[in-house]
Amino acid sequence: MGASIALALSRRGMRVTVVDKASGPAQGSTAATSAIIRFTYSLRDSIALAWESAHMWTSLRSHVRAPAEEPVAGFVRTGMAVLEVPGLLPPDIRMDFDALSIPYEDWTTADLEWEIPGIVARRFFPPVRTDDPAFFADEPQPVTALHTPDGGYISDPVLATENFVRAARREGARFRYGAEVVGIREAGTPRWELELAEAAGGVSGGTGTRTTLRADVVVNAAGPWSSRINAMAGVGGDHGVSLTPLRQEVHTVPAESTVRRPDGSPIPALLDAGIGTYMRPEAGGQLLIGSAEPECDPLEWLGSPEEAEMRVRGAQFEAQVLRAAKRLSGVAVPNAPRGVVGVYDVASDWTPVYDRSSADGFYQAVGTSGNQFKNAPMVGELMACLIEAVESGHDHDADPVRVPLPLTGGTLGLGIFSRLRTPAATSGTVMG
């Protein structure tokens, strides 16, 4: 998010400095992303944002203007199949897809069995814990799916972030790694003063050389630290939605016979709320498995991101892999857990805040809730449009900015991403 915003602002002629307490790009939440590209959101403007961003991902080299010798992250087009269970998808999502010209297909049980080798195409709902006797109950009712053929995933989200960093640097942006923001105050002209703690060697520990950075505009894109940054700046009290860090795990298992069709192409990514997971194929015959936050599983909310244990836990690994094995017969449960731990910056309605704040010159790209990596290219553009409009005197709170969508047509209203909104009616999970 930060690198994309830096690129969009730099291209508009602004002098940009990115401050990151890590020692390099994509070492926070992005390092743990599943990087899935999908369009099944609860709100039409969220769908439109994802659709436009997907077109930017498929032409990433052009978007970041990378030279021929620079490696660029690839988009793997697998399709996305959402197994249908009661209440998962909004009833008018197909109308939204039609309005936005998003291709989709209604898959029957037979379609699922043809497209996904070894799938158990029966309806498991609601999700239950693996220690519940009902977990192994047989469900004879068949399941169907909504398939969007243009879904998929980004092959290397760390490389993708590096692509945006390099592009922003080519436009003049500066990146200060190993610099932790330890204080923010309004300072007149320029409007904001940030106190930074910079450690030797580019690794920030909150100690070391103290420096001051001054700016007329500050953008908070601090992921799970966003509430802390807002508090330093004295903003956030007018928010209609809360922001809370959430620890989650994503696991990988070998599943060569399951992740590929007979012709060798990868199976589609799966959103399977019936068992409480999402899954996608991974390079090397692996299957990636994440949680769809089923009601039966307690969520691990954190007081601060530093509380997160970054070790993959055996019990959580076993639970998610058993769920995947219930759906895909080719999945085995390995002895040793493999995966990554991430911390989401979760808004109470699982929809991001892309907005100004109550203080002039302070903006927010926060509450990304584990579902916004796919929108990063367009988030840079919409934040730049928002900042240009508000800094030119536009009253965004009264008249939300609309952003053009040049690749897919129409405009995107930023009102649903307002900090002032009443929590939106969404899935209440990472699905948004």
Side-chain angles (χ1 to χ4, degrees), residues 30 178 188 347 358 370 402:
T30 301
S358 57
R402 297 197 68 86

Side-chain angles (χ1 to χ4, degrees), residues 80-81 83 116 119 268-272 277-280 327-328:
M80 178 84 191
L83 276 62
I116 304 173
I119 191 171
L270 287 173
L271 168 55
D272 192 350
T277 68
Y278 64 84
M279 297 172 275
R280 71 159 173 82
R327 179 62 71 193
L328 301 173

Side-chain angles (χ1 to χ4, degrees), residues 45-182:
D45 281 333
S46 292
I47 297 170
L49 175 58
W51 184 232
E52 180 77 10
S53 297
H55 286 70
M56 299 171 80
W57 282 120
T58 58
S59 56
L60 182 60
R61 180 174 294 278
S62 173
H63 178 65
V64 298
R65 301 173 189 169
E69 66 274 12
E70 180 180 318
V72 171
F75 170 67
V76 183
R77 185 179 184 271
T78 63
M80 178 84 191
V82 180
L83 276 62
E84 299 206 63
V85 299
L88 173 64
L89 294 173
D92 55 355
I93 192 167
R94 289 168 177 81
M95 294 175 59
D96 290 339
F97 284 178
D98 288 338
L100 296 167
S101 299
I102 300 175
Y104 65 90
E105 302 159 341
D106 287 301
W107 276 5
T108 65
T109 304
D111 292 329
L112 281 166
E113 291 173 339
W114 175 262
E115 297 285 351
I116 304 173
I119 191 171
V120 180
R122 298 197 299 270
R123 183 166 148 188
F124 303 114
F125 187 80
V128 296
R129 294 178 60 81
T130 54
D131 56 5
D132 188 321
F135 182 80
F136 295 100
D138 190 29
E139 290 280 349
Q141 186 174 354
V143 69
T144 59
L146 175 64
H147 177 250
T148 46
D150 292 306
Y153 66 95
I154 301 304
S155 61
D156 189 337
V158 174
L159 175 59
T161 308
E162 292 171 350
N163 294 144
F164 279 96
V165 170
R166 294 188 189 108
R169 281 178 165 153
R170 286 192 287 269
E171 300 290 341
R174 298 173 60 231
F175 287 76
R176 293 176 65 167
Y177 293 108
E180 182 173 356
V181 177
V182 294

Side-chain angles (χ1 to χ4, degrees), residues 177-246:
Y177 293 108
E180 182 173 356
V181 177
V182 294
I184 304 175
R185 50 190 167 268
E186 295 188 72
T189 304
R191 282 184 292 203
W192 294 96
E193 186 173 276
L194 281 66
E195 183 181 1
L196 310 180
E198 298 185 87
V203 179
S204 176
T207 59
T209 304
R210 296 294 177 104
T211 59
T212 299
L213 179 65
R214 295 177 176 85
D216 284 315
V217 169
V218 174
V219 182
N220 179 2
W225 289 271
S226 64
S227 292
R228 186 179 303 174
I229 296 296
N230 277 350
M232 288 183 192
V235 303
D238 60 344
H239 281 202
V241 291
S242 61
L243 305 172
T244 311
L246 172 69

Side-chain angles (χ1 to χ4, degrees), residues 27-39:
Q27 295 186 19
S29 301
T30 301
T33 182
S34 301
I36 289 176
I37 305 301
R38 63 174 173 86
F39 320 111

Side-chain angles (χ1 to χ4, degrees), residues 127-129 293-298 323:
V128 296
R129 294 178 60 81
E293 285 85 43
E295 290 187 10
C296 61
D297 289 356
R323 284 176 168 148

